[in-house]
Structures are given as C-alpha cells and as structure tokens.
Amino acid sequence: MTTSPANPSQGSLPQLSGRLLWSYRLAWGALAIGAVLESILIGLQISAHPAIAGLRLLKSVVLVSVAAILLHRRQRDPVAALLALAFLAWTI
C-alpha cells in the first residue's frame, strides 16, 4: 500500500476576488474606524489607571498596525483577511 504525499496547493483556499474582496475591504474599513475611535476613547477615560490605559492603547496600536500590514501585503489571502478582521474586532 503506497500513499502519495499531499500536495500543499491542492487544499488551499481560493483567493478573494469580486464582491467578497470588496466586502472584506468594507468590513476592514468599518472595523478600523471603530478601532481608532475606541483607541481615542481610551485616552479620554479619566477613571482608568494610567498604566492600564497605556497598555490598552499600546495593544490597540499594535493590533491596528498588524491588521494594516495584512491588508496591504496580503489583500487577497482569505486567512490573512480573517486574521486582520479578528485583530480589529479584538481592538474594539
């Protein structure tokens, strides 16, 4: 009994295109606006301890930056799209 090695490209997801690509870009833009607004609100919270507010702001900056890099470098990759949207949702 011999088995052939799996071809890695055989089970890959198709690239984003058409309406799905534009839906991803629209969702990314909406979540990015929400993440930036949430980051601004973190700075305006008076009751939060400065160290906690700083860590939350740093987390937001890092996650939005990584999501922007994923959008710029891997626009049509569905896994990168899901990861970028998850990062932006986590920021909010």
Side-chain angles (χ1 to χ4, degrees), residues 3-86:
T3 59
S4 62
N7 187 357
S9 65
Q10 192 174 25
S12 65
L13 296 172
Q15 298 293 311
L16 297 177
S17 62
R19 287 186 194 166
L20 192 57
L21 178 62
W22 285 106
S23 298
Y24 160 61
R25 288 179 180 167
L26 181 66
W28 193 97
L31 284 173
I33 290 170
V36 169
L37 290 176
E38 179 66 25
S39 298
I40 291 170
L41 290 176
I42 289 172
L44 298 177
Q45 287 181 347
I46 299 171
S47 62
H49 190 275
I52 300 297
L55 286 173
R56 288 179 66 194
L57 185 61
L58 179 65
K59 178 195 79 158
S60 296
V61 168
V62 169
L63 289 174
V64 170
S65 299
V66 171
I69 290 169
L70 286 172
L71 175 70
H72 177 69
R73 304 208 64 203
R74 301 208 173 241
Q75 291 185 11
R76 297 184 184 274
D77 185 9
V79 175
L82 287 173
L83 187 60
L85 293 176

